[in-house]
Amino acid sequence: QLVAYEVKRMKAEEGNKQKILRHIKELAEKLYKNENPYPAVTMHKVQRPTEGCHLRLHQKPFPHLDEGTVQWIIDQATAKLQTAPPAVKAEKKCMVPSGPPIAAILERNGNALANSARRLEVVRNCISYVFENKMLEAKKVREAGDAGPGRAARHCLTQELHLHVQQNRAVLDHQQFDFVIRMMNCCLQDCTAMDEHGIAAALLPLVTAFCRKLSPGITQFAYSCVQEHV
């Protein structure tokens, strides 16, 4: 339905955060109602008796319940339940027009995909420069901002670093160590709770692998520089 009816509206909203947020809120409400079609049942609360009420005089005795009447009420309710239709929301089937051709949507996303692929290539190059000790090139790429903090770029960074650990290239010189730490810090800085079991988890074995020798017998591991991140 979104593709069929909302494309024009979405195009008109591009660049206007307030409208986009309102649209998202409307969608969220629709999805919520779809998953929760029945309103919550209100529970009747029975008030607790007040303190010392059992000491009062003139208390009315609790009336005697007639067993036959109680049973009759229970039977009535059971009979009603058995004849009641099942409480399932009837599905309304409707035809949704196909909307704009897929090519039009892909065309819009094509540039984004190309940019994403270029950014991943830049991340790979940046890491390669670091491990080839071409620090000047690595800095140029880093300062250009092309090895940016997008989720895919962060994921790519963890993969590339993992490859170097597998190749036993985890002991770094001071410049390399500083550079890798800076990238790890940026990566963790941009992580959200969603990345906790993905990107942050992938970095855990890496920060205990990468290290530098400070002096004979003293080694500093990467985790000592990134452990403050939530």
Side-chain angles (χ1 to χ4, degrees), residues 66-91:
D66 176 41
E67 197 179 332
T69 311
V70 171
Q71 192 56 52
W72 180 79
I73 292 168
I74 291 171
D75 292 342
Q76 290 280 96
T78 311
K80 258 188 189 173
L81 279 174
Q82 282 172 349
T83 55
V88 178
K89 191 182 175 187
E91 272 190 40

PDB file of all heavy atoms in Angstrom, residues 66-91:
ATOM      1  N   ASP A  66     -27.833 -18.864  47.453  1.00  0.00           N
ATOM      2  CA  ASP A  66     -28.631 -20.019  47.068  1.00  0.00           C
ATOM      3  C   ASP A  66     -27.874 -20.820  46.011  1.00  0.00           C
ATOM      4  O   ASP A  66     -27.557 -20.312  44.928  1.00  0.00           O
ATOM      5  CB  ASP A  66     -29.979 -19.534  46.506  1.00  0.00           C
ATOM      6  CG  ASP A  66     -30.807 -20.706  46.004  1.00  0.00           C
ATOM      7  OD1 ASP A  66     -30.819 -21.747  46.689  1.00  0.00           O
ATOM      8  OD2 ASP A  66     -31.426 -20.571  44.930  1.00  0.00           O
ATOM      9  N   GLU A  67     -27.553 -22.045  46.331  1.00  0.00           N
ATOM     10  CA  GLU A  67     -26.717 -22.879  45.463  1.00  0.00           C
ATOM     11  C   GLU A  67     -27.342 -23.050  44.076  1.00  0.00           C
ATOM     12  O   GLU A  67     -26.668 -22.974  43.052  1.00  0.00           O
ATOM     13  CB  GLU A  67     -26.541 -24.255  46.130  1.00  0.00           C
ATOM     14  CG  GLU A  67     -25.377 -25.026  45.516  1.00  0.00           C
ATOM     15  CD  GLU A  67     -25.178 -26.378  46.202  1.00  0.00           C
ATOM     16  OE1 GLU A  67     -25.520 -26.509  47.398  1.00  0.00           O
ATOM     17  OE2 GLU A  67     -24.691 -27.283  45.517  1.00  0.00           O
ATOM     18  N   GLY A  68     -28.638 -23.238  44.042  1.00  0.00           N
ATOM     19  CA  GLY A  68     -29.344 -23.444  42.763  1.00  0.00           C
ATOM     20  C   GLY A  68     -29.216 -22.236  41.859  1.00  0.00           C
ATOM     21  O   GLY A  68     -28.953 -22.362  40.654  1.00  0.00           O
ATOM     22  N   THR A  69     -29.394 -21.008  42.427  1.00  0.00           N
ATOM     23  CA  THR A  69     -29.309 -19.764  41.633  1.00  0.00           C
ATOM     24  C   THR A  69     -27.892 -19.579  41.074  1.00  0.00           C
ATOM     25  O   THR A  69     -27.712 -19.240  39.902  1.00  0.00           O
ATOM     26  CB  THR A  69     -29.676 -18.547  42.511  1.00  0.00           C
ATOM     27  OG1 THR A  69     -30.900 -18.828  43.191  1.00  0.00           O
ATOM     28  CG2 THR A  69     -29.823 -17.295  41.683  1.00  0.00           C
ATOM     29  N   VAL A  70     -26.887 -19.827  41.928  1.00  0.00           N
ATOM     30  CA  VAL A  70     -25.478 -19.672  41.494  1.00  0.00           C
ATOM     31  C   VAL A  70     -25.193 -20.619  40.337  1.00  0.00           C
ATOM     32  O   VAL A  70     -24.613 -20.232  39.319  1.00  0.00           O
ATOM     33  CB  VAL A  70     -24.508 -19.923  42.677  1.00  0.00           C
ATOM     34  CG1 VAL A  70     -23.077 -19.973  42.186  1.00  0.00           C
ATOM     35  CG2 VAL A  70     -24.663 -18.855  43.739  1.00  0.00           C
ATOM     36  N   GLN A  71     -25.622 -21.865  40.455  1.00  0.00           N
ATOM     37  CA  GLN A  71     -25.393 -22.864  39.409  1.00  0.00           C
ATOM     38  C   GLN A  71     -26.083 -22.460  38.107  1.00  0.00           C
ATOM     39  O   GLN A  71     -25.533 -22.606  37.015  1.00  0.00           O
ATOM     40  CB  GLN A  71     -25.900 -24.241  39.880  1.00  0.00           C
ATOM     41  CG  GLN A  71     -25.447 -25.401  38.981  1.00  0.00           C
ATOM     42  CD  GLN A  71     -23.936 -25.475  38.814  1.00  0.00           C
ATOM     43  OE1 GLN A  71     -23.193 -25.490  39.789  1.00  0.00           O
ATOM     44  NE2 GLN A  71     -23.472 -25.482  37.575  1.00  0.00           N
ATOM     45  N   TRP A  72     -27.325 -21.910  38.249  1.00  0.00           N
ATOM     46  CA  TRP A  72     -28.083 -21.470  37.064  1.00  0.00           C
ATOM     47  C   TRP A  72     -27.325 -20.367  36.320  1.00  0.00           C
ATOM     48  O   TRP A  72     -27.221 -20.379  35.101  1.00  0.00           O
ATOM     49  CB  TRP A  72     -29.470 -20.982  37.516  1.00  0.00           C
ATOM     50  CG  TRP A  72     -30.311 -20.512  36.360  1.00  0.00           C
ATOM     51  CD1 TRP A  72     -30.991 -21.286  35.481  1.00  0.00           C
ATOM     52  CD2 TRP A  72     -30.530 -19.142  35.974  1.00  0.00           C
ATOM     53  NE1 TRP A  72     -31.640 -20.501  34.553  1.00  0.00           N
ATOM     54  CE2 TRP A  72     -31.358 -19.175  34.827  1.00  0.00           C
ATOM     55  CE3 TRP A  72     -30.109 -17.913  36.471  1.00  0.00           C
ATOM     56  CZ2 TRP A  72     -31.772 -18.022  34.183  1.00  0.00           C
ATOM     57  CZ3 TRP A  72     -30.529 -16.771  35.824  1.00  0.00           C
ATOM     58  CH2 TRP A  72     -31.349 -16.813  34.696  1.00  0.00           C
ATOM     59  N   ILE A  73     -26.758 -19.393  37.083  1.00  0.00           N
ATOM     60  CA  ILE A  73     -25.991 -18.282  36.469  1.00  0.00           C
ATOM     61  C   ILE A  73     -24.759 -18.830  35.741  1.00  0.00           C
ATOM     62  O   ILE A  73     -24.446 -18.429  34.614  1.00  0.00           O
ATOM     63  CB  ILE A  73     -25.567 -17.252  37.549  1.00  0.00           C
ATOM     64  CG1 ILE A  73     -26.813 -16.526  38.094  1.00  0.00           C
ATOM     65  CG2 ILE A  73     -24.569 -16.235  36.998  1.00  0.00           C
ATOM     66  CD1 ILE A  73     -26.563 -15.705  39.345  1.00  0.00           C
ATOM     67  N   ILE A  74     -24.075 -19.799  36.379  1.00  0.00           N
ATOM     68  CA  ILE A  74     -22.875 -20.395  35.751  1.00  0.00           C
ATOM     69  C   ILE A  74     -23.263 -21.109  34.461  1.00  0.00           C
ATOM     70  O   ILE A  74     -22.596 -20.962  33.426  1.00  0.00           O
ATOM     71  CB  ILE A  74     -22.185 -21.375  36.740  1.00  0.00           C
ATOM     72  CG1 ILE A  74     -21.562 -20.583  37.902  1.00  0.00           C
ATOM     73  CG2 ILE A  74     -21.100 -22.197  36.037  1.00  0.00           C
ATOM     74  CD1 ILE A  74     -21.051 -21.442  39.044  1.00  0.00           C
ATOM     75  N   ASP A  75     -24.359 -21.877  34.498  1.00  0.00           N
ATOM     76  CA  ASP A  75     -24.806 -22.609  33.303  1.00  0.00           C
ATOM     77  C   ASP A  75     -25.153 -21.666  32.162  1.00  0.00           C
ATOM     78  O   ASP A  75     -24.829 -21.928  31.003  1.00  0.00           O
ATOM     79  CB  ASP A  75     -26.025 -23.495  33.640  1.00  0.00           C
ATOM     80  CG  ASP A  75     -25.635 -24.644  34.582  1.00  0.00           C
ATOM     81  OD1 ASP A  75     -24.423 -24.921  34.671  1.00  0.00           O
ATOM     82  OD2 ASP A  75     -26.545 -25.226  35.224  1.00  0.00           O
ATOM     83  N   GLN A  76     -25.828 -20.553  32.507  1.00  0.00           N
ATOM     84  CA  GLN A  76     -26.206 -19.556  31.495  1.00  0.00           C
ATOM     85  C   GLN A  76     -24.947 -19.015  30.791  1.00  0.00           C
ATOM     86  O   GLN A  76     -24.897 -18.911  29.574  1.00  0.00           O
ATOM     87  CB  GLN A  76     -26.942 -18.373  32.167  1.00  0.00           C
ATOM     88  CG  GLN A  76     -28.321 -18.693  32.680  1.00  0.00           C
ATOM     89  CD  GLN A  76     -29.336 -18.680  31.548  1.00  0.00           C
ATOM     90  OE1 GLN A  76     -29.646 -19.738  30.999  1.00  0.00           O
ATOM     91  NE2 GLN A  76     -29.844 -17.521  31.167  1.00  0.00           N
ATOM     92  N   ALA A  77     -23.953 -18.647  31.602  1.00  0.00           N
ATOM     93  CA  ALA A  77     -22.712 -18.064  31.059  1.00  0.00           C
ATOM     94  C   ALA A  77     -21.984 -19.075  30.175  1.00  0.00           C
ATOM     95  O   ALA A  77     -21.472 -18.738  29.100  1.00  0.00           O
ATOM     96  CB  ALA A  77     -21.811 -17.616  32.201  1.00  0.00           C
ATOM     97  N   THR A  78     -21.944 -20.362  30.614  1.00  0.00           N
ATOM     98  CA  THR A  78     -21.263 -21.413  29.834  1.00  0.00           C
ATOM     99  C   THR A  78     -21.954 -21.604  28.490  1.00  0.00           C
ATOM    100  O   THR A  78     -21.294 -21.716  27.450  1.00  0.00           O
ATOM    101  CB  THR A  78     -21.270 -22.745  30.633  1.00  0.00           C
ATOM    102  OG1 THR A  78     -20.816 -22.493  31.953  1.00  0.00           O
ATOM    103  CG2 THR A  78     -20.379 -23.780  29.991  1.00  0.00           C
ATOM    104  N   ALA A  79     -23.284 -21.615  28.510  1.00  0.00           N
ATOM    105  CA  ALA A  79     -24.047 -21.798  27.267  1.00  0.00           C
ATOM    106  C   ALA A  79     -23.765 -20.656  26.294  1.00  0.00           C
ATOM    107  O   ALA A  79     -23.609 -20.868  25.085  1.00  0.00           O
ATOM    108  CB  ALA A  79     -25.537 -21.873  27.588  1.00  0.00           C
ATOM    109  N   LYS A  80     -23.682 -19.434  26.838  1.00  0.00           N
ATOM    110  CA  LYS A  80     -23.409 -18.252  25.991  1.00  0.00           C
ATOM    111  C   LYS A  80     -22.041 -18.376  25.327  1.00  0.00           C
ATOM    112  O   LYS A  80     -21.860 -18.072  24.156  1.00  0.00           O
ATOM    113  CB  LYS A  80     -23.435 -16.983  26.854  1.00  0.00           C
ATOM    114  CG  LYS A  80     -24.718 -16.181  26.732  1.00  0.00           C
ATOM    115  CD  LYS A  80     -24.578 -14.865  27.451  1.00  0.00           C
ATOM    116  CE  LYS A  80     -25.938 -14.149  27.533  1.00  0.00           C
ATOM    117  NZ  LYS A  80     -25.849 -12.958  28.380  1.00  0.00           N
ATOM    118  N   LEU A  81     -21.047 -18.818  26.121  1.00  0.00           N
ATOM    119  CA  LEU A  81     -19.681 -18.941  25.599  1.00  0.00           C
ATOM    120  C   LEU A  81     -19.609 -19.962  24.483  1.00  0.00           C
ATOM    121  O   LEU A  81     -18.875 -19.796  23.508  1.00  0.00           O
ATOM    122  CB  LEU A  81     -18.714 -19.351  26.718  1.00  0.00           C
ATOM    123  CG  LEU A  81     -18.214 -18.232  27.644  1.00  0.00           C
ATOM    124  CD1 LEU A  81     -17.383 -18.815  28.771  1.00  0.00           C
ATOM    125  CD2 LEU A  81     -17.370 -17.211  26.880  1.00  0.00           C
ATOM    126  N   GLN A  82     -20.370 -21.057  24.636  1.00  0.00           N
ATOM    127  CA  GLN A  82     -20.312 -22.121  23.626  1.00  0.00           C
ATOM    128  C   GLN A  82     -20.926 -21.686  22.299  1.00  0.00           C
ATOM    129  O   GLN A  82     -20.483 -22.105  21.235  1.00  0.00           O
ATOM    130  CB  GLN A  82     -21.041 -23.369  24.159  1.00  0.00           C
ATOM    131  CG  GLN A  82     -20.182 -24.134  25.168  1.00  0.00           C
ATOM    132  CD  GLN A  82     -20.931 -25.252  25.858  1.00  0.00           C
ATOM    133  OE1 GLN A  82     -22.156 -25.354  25.754  1.00  0.00           O
ATOM    134  NE2 GLN A  82     -20.204 -26.095  26.576  1.00  0.00           N
ATOM    135  N   THR A  83     -21.943 -20.833  22.379  1.00  0.00           N
ATOM    136  CA  THR A  83     -22.600 -20.395  21.132  1.00  0.00           C
ATOM    137  C   THR A  83     -21.944 -19.143  20.541  1.00  0.00           C
ATOM    138  O   THR A  83     -22.205 -18.770  19.409  1.00  0.00           O
ATOM    139  CB  THR A  83     -24.095 -20.105  21.385  1.00  0.00           C
ATOM    140  OG1 THR A  83     -24.185 -19.138  22.451  1.00  0.00           O
ATOM    141  CG2 THR A  83     -24.845 -21.362  21.772  1.00  0.00           C
ATOM    142  N   ALA A  84     -21.095 -18.495  21.327  1.00  0.00           N
ATOM    143  CA  ALA A  84     -20.465 -17.242  20.850  1.00  0.00           C
ATOM    144  C   ALA A  84     -19.486 -17.537  19.716  1.00  0.00           C
ATOM    145  O   ALA A  84     -18.793 -18.557  19.735  1.00  0.00           O
ATOM    146  CB  ALA A  84     -19.727 -16.562  22.001  1.00  0.00           C
ATOM    147  N   PRO A  85     -19.435 -16.660  18.704  1.00  0.00           N
ATOM    148  CA  PRO A  85     -18.472 -16.873  17.610  1.00  0.00           C
ATOM    149  C   PRO A  85     -17.041 -16.664  18.133  1.00  0.00           C
ATOM    150  O   PRO A  85     -16.836 -15.937  19.096  1.00  0.00           O
ATOM    151  CB  PRO A  85     -18.844 -15.779  16.587  1.00  0.00           C
ATOM    152  CG  PRO A  85     -19.523 -14.720  17.394  1.00  0.00           C
ATOM    153  CD  PRO A  85     -20.194 -15.410  18.541  1.00  0.00           C
ATOM    154  N   PRO A  86     -16.053 -17.322  17.512  1.00  0.00           N
ATOM    155  CA  PRO A  86     -14.662 -17.145  17.977  1.00  0.00           C
ATOM    156  C   PRO A  86     -14.217 -15.689  17.825  1.00  0.00           C
ATOM    157  O   PRO A  86     -14.539 -15.042  16.825  1.00  0.00           O
ATOM    158  CB  PRO A  86     -13.854 -18.073  17.072  1.00  0.00           C
ATOM    159  CG  PRO A  86     -14.725 -18.311  15.876  1.00  0.00           C
ATOM    160  CD  PRO A  86     -16.138 -18.204  16.353  1.00  0.00           C
ATOM    161  N   ALA A  87     -13.501 -15.212  18.823  1.00  0.00           N
ATOM    162  CA  ALA A  87     -13.092 -13.790  18.826  1.00  0.00           C
ATOM    163  C   ALA A  87     -11.857 -13.585  17.948  1.00  0.00           C
ATOM    164  O   ALA A  87     -10.757 -13.335  18.424  1.00  0.00           O
ATOM    165  CB  ALA A  87     -12.808 -13.345  20.255  1.00  0.00           C
ATOM    166  N   VAL A  88     -12.039 -13.741  16.641  1.00  0.00           N
ATOM    167  CA  VAL A  88     -10.928 -13.561  15.697  1.00  0.00           C
ATOM    168  C   VAL A  88     -11.310 -12.457  14.731  1.00  0.00           C
ATOM    169  O   VAL A  88     -12.435 -12.417  14.238  1.00  0.00           O
ATOM    170  CB  VAL A  88     -10.629 -14.874  14.925  1.00  0.00           C
ATOM    171  CG1 VAL A  88      -9.523 -14.654  13.914  1.00  0.00           C
ATOM    172  CG2 VAL A  88     -10.264 -15.992  15.891  1.00  0.00           C
ATOM    173  N   LYS A  89     -10.358 -11.593  14.475  1.00  0.00           N
ATOM    174  CA  LYS A  89     -10.620 -10.475  13.572  1.00  0.00           C
ATOM    175  C   LYS A  89     -10.775 -11.009  12.144  1.00  0.00           C
ATOM    176  O   LYS A  89      -9.885 -11.703  11.640  1.00  0.00           O
ATOM    177  CB  LYS A  89      -9.427  -9.515  13.647  1.00  0.00           C
ATOM    178  CG  LYS A  89      -9.662  -8.193  12.974  1.00  0.00           C
ATOM    179  CD  LYS A  89      -8.407  -7.358  13.076  1.00  0.00           C
ATOM    180  CE  LYS A  89      -8.546  -6.074  12.301  1.00  0.00           C
ATOM    181  NZ  LYS A  89      -7.284  -5.340  12.263  1.00  0.00           N
ATOM    182  N   ALA A  90     -11.917 -10.719  11.547  1.00  0.00           N
ATOM    183  CA  ALA A  90     -12.148 -11.187  10.171  1.00  0.00           C
ATOM    184  C   ALA A  90     -11.222 -10.423   9.228  1.00  0.00           C
ATOM    185  O   ALA A  90     -11.107  -9.214   9.290  1.00  0.00           O
ATOM    186  CB  ALA A  90     -13.596 -10.942   9.796  1.00  0.00           C
ATOM    187  N   GLU A  91     -10.532 -11.175   8.380  1.00  0.00           N
ATOM    188  CA  GLU A  91      -9.587 -10.532   7.449  1.00  0.00           C
ATOM    189  C   GLU A  91     -10.353  -9.886   6.310  1.00  0.00           C
ATOM    190  O   GLU A  91     -11.216 -10.509   5.681  1.00  0.00           O
ATOM    191  CB  GLU A  91      -8.632 -11.578   6.877  1.00  0.00           C
ATOM    192  CG  GLU A  91      -7.406 -11.776   7.726  1.00  0.00           C
ATOM    193  CD  GLU A  91      -6.369 -12.630   7.005  1.00  0.00           C
ATOM    194  OE1 GLU A  91      -6.201 -12.448   5.789  1.00  0.00           O
ATOM    195  OE2 GLU A  91      -5.766 -13.467   7.674  1.00  0.00           O
TER     196      GLU A  91
END
